[in-house]
Every structure is written in structure tokens, then in C-alpha cells.
Amino acid sequence: MHTHDVDEELVAAATEVARTRCRGDNHTMAAAARATDGRIVTGVNAYHFTGGPCAELVVVGTAAAQGAYDLRTIVAVGDRDRGVVPPCGRCRQALLDYFPALEVVVPTPGGGLRAVPVIDLLPHTYVWADHQPEAPSQAGGVSGARGPGTA
């Protein structure tokens, strides 16, 4: 059961990538994001014992490489029919810093899905852009955040 605010096409795209592209222990999660221009960008994690990137972070980089710098919604799906998986803490923080208005599709306790603002996944959060020494017009605050080391 999915709620009315879930981007079903996005969930289907991530599910298809998880089913067809995740193989073995190196790639166990797929993610899909919808850019504000409507494009869907997908990716898979690159598991490695040194802490390789999660699928959500691969999608952020892939989207930028394709010129999609603003994402509207993201979802991650596990391989082997595990369904939608909420983002880990590292991804939650990175997604908030890059896209503070982002919606994240997560499972509900009743077995459905819903889209929630990324900020709701991090109550009492640290917002990286709010703690930078630049002047407010340069830092961009939450709405202009692009993450550490970016100009």
C-alpha cells in the first residue's frame, strides 16, 4: 500500500535497478531521484569495507554529472526484494545539506510508503551551511546549501 504523496514511478525505477543491476555483495542497494526538471536519475551503492558510497550518494553525484543540481524526491530500494529502505544517518545528513527541501520515500509501520521532508528524518539536526564563516549571502543558508568543500 502506497500513500497518495509517493512518486510511484520513482519507486518503480529504483526497484527495477535493484532487481536488474544489483549483483553480489558489492551492489546491494539502488536509489532513484527525481530532479526538479522531472528527470529520474538512478544509481547503485558501491559497497566496500572502507565505507564506499551508499546508493543515495551515488545518485547525488550522477545527477550532478548529468546537470541535475536540484533533486525533488529520492528513494532507496534493497536488492533481493527487500523493498524501500530508509537512508542511513550519513545519507540523511548529506541529503539535507545538499537538498534541504528534498522529500524522501520511506516505509511506514503499516507496510505502506510515504514521502517525508528530509528535515523530518533528522530532528534537532546540525545544518552544515548554518555554521560556516562566510557571510549569509555567500553561505546560502539552508536553502542554498551545497555541502562541504563546494563553492
Side-chain angles (χ1 to χ4, degrees), residues 3-66:
T3 60
H4 69 282
D5 61 348
V6 172
D7 184 334
E8 299 287 345
E9 184 181 19
L10 195 63
V11 174
T15 300
E16 179 66 11
V17 171
R19 187 181 65 74
T20 61
R21 301 292 186 243
C22 290
R23 296 186 177 170
D25 292 337
N26 293 332
H27 308 290
T28 59
M29 295 289 298
R34 186 173 301 278
T36 55
D37 66 7
R39 284 185 281 173
I40 292 179
V41 180
T42 62
V44 298
N45 70 318
Y47 178 79
H48 191 263
F49 74 90
T50 61
C54 296
E56 295 94 332
L57 298 183
V58 171
V59 165
V60 169
T62 301
Q66 295 177 9

Side-chain angles (χ1 to χ4, degrees), residues 49-99:
F49 74 90
T50 61
C54 296
E56 295 94 332
L57 298 183
V58 171
V59 165
V60 169
T62 301
Q66 295 177 9
Y69 297 102
D70 292 312
L71 301 181
R72 183 172 62 207
T73 309
I74 195 165
V75 63
V77 174
D79 67 346
R80 297 176 290 238
D81 298 318
R82 288 183 290 143
V84 172
V85 177
C88 72
R90 178 178 72 166
C91 286
R92 291 174 191 212
Q93 185 67 54
L95 292 171
L96 173 67
D97 288 338
Y98 275 86
F99 311 105

Side-chain angles (χ1 to χ4, degrees), residues 1-3 6 84 105-115:
M1 174 184 161
H2 296 182
T3 60
V6 172
V84 172
V105 178
V106 296
T108 64
L113 299 175
R114 68 184 277 229

